[in-house]
Amino acid sequence: MNDGPLQHLIRTLSTLPGLGNRSARRIALHLLNKRDTLMRPLAQTLERAADEIKECHVCGNLDSHDPCGICQDARRDQSKICVVSQVSDLWAIERTGAYRGQYHVLGGLLSALDGIGPDDLNIAGLKTRAQSEQVQEIILALAATVDGQSTAHYISDTLAGTSVEITHLAHGVPVGGELDYLDDGTITTALKSRKSA
Amino acid sequence: MNDGPLQHLIRTLSTLPGLGNRSARRIALHLLNKRDTLMRPLAQTLERAADEIKECHVCGNLDSHDPCGICQDARRDQSKICVVSQVSDLWAIERTGAYRGQYHVLGGLLSALDGIGPDDLNIAGLKTRAQSEQVQEIILALAATVDGQSTAHYISDTLAGTSVEITHLAHGVPVGGELDYLDDGTITTALKSRKSA
């Protein structure tokens, strides 16, 4: 292997999340075998996406429009804002089809370890939106981790002066999950939050 | 998620080998967060590699030169040709540093199932090279699968009239491998090919 464009391609691909050296080499060979049908189109798709995809200034979603398609959709419930950490979480909720309100992407979670403070997240924007008259509920759809829960606490404190109702996702047994494989914390929470059948 | 450039990017990424929808979404978000440091450079690297990387007309290796760096390297042993199925196998052998001869990339293996016959592989080129006076040994470094072994047999037959010695890689217990986890065929072969300590 030389240090030319091939080596450079493999090195660049191997920096992508989830890809190591072996998978980068495999992808590079695959691309070189399909230069005109996949490799050049992919290059153009990357350039086009880099140019056209914007961050929505209202909610932080990624879309080719600003405001994004969700913020512009008048059929969606304007009284609910679902707060998520990342755009990928927004996508996960959208895939369920179970939610038809608005979103707010924080751009991360508070983390003492990684030095991420409130000013690094889009919390000010959320506060402004929460003060709008039409917003009645803010759903905190944050990870059930230490960082996720401290972020949820911080947001609850920040919005304490407003009249919105603050809710969070239910904790419990994942649908399809076997008790035997669940951690103690989840089982304890599921027991405490038990509902009548 | 809309059907615009973002969806198109994720769909294109998810066609790469080893990537599914989830990893494609993750990579797309990572790229969009690093547009100028990773996304645009990757697009340019792809274009450049698609333009500059050629298939060596002698051995079938991929390189920015034709003939490739290995074929042009006068310090390498010209009397040995190592026959591999794919460029990735050539890379695997090069990484060991244990071989300093020439290569020949077939571009696949004979496969009745996939309808790959001798004319689909670069076997004619190998025969021509084998007839050169300086070539003394042809090492068949092909997979120990049905397709790999039938390809090896076919090449042995094809080269029967020439004076070159044909060898193949040894079969046996992988270095660091535990007997308990090995299949019966490997253990049988390793027993039959046992060597004095």
Side-chain angles (χ1 to χ4, degrees), chain B residues 32-50:
Chain B
L32 286 165
N33 283 332
K34 304 193 170 196
R35 287 181 210 215
D36 291 326
T37 55
L38 183 58
M39 196 170 187
R40 290 183 217 272
L42 174 60
Q44 286 149 19
T45 303
L46 285 167
E47 289 279 9
R48 197 181 138 212

Side-chain angles (χ1 to χ4, degrees), chain B residues 77-148:
Chain B
D77 190 344
Q78 310 289 321
S79 71
K80 290 179 178 59
I81 296 177
C82 179
V83 178
V84 291
S85 161
Q86 303 284 357
V87 175
S88 51
D89 298 338
L90 183 159
W91 292 346
I93 296 174
E94 278 299 283
R95 282 199 297 279
T96 67
Y99 178 71
R100 297 289 298 164
Q102 302 295 309
Y103 286 98
H104 192 85
V105 181
L106 294 175
L109 293 172
L110 295 179
S111 169
L113 222 64
D114 299 333
I116 298 175
D119 295 340
D120 300 315
L121 306 179
N122 187 12
I123 292 180
L126 177 63
K127 197 172 175 186
T128 312
R129 292 180 77 189
Q131 282 156 352
S132 148
E133 262 186 29
Q134 57 185 356
V135 177
Q136 287 163 15
E137 182 182 356
I138 288 188
I139 304 164
L140 301 176
L142 301 172
T145 58
V146 173
D147 286 351

Side-chain angles (χ1 to χ4, degrees), chain A residues 1 19 47 54 84 89 91 97-98 117 128 135 149 175 181 184:
Chain A
M1 259 191 288
L19 298 188
E47 289 279 9
K54 302 162 193 68
V84 291
D89 298 337
W91 292 347
T128 312
V135 177
Q149 295 312 296
V175 177
Y181 292 93
D184 297 353

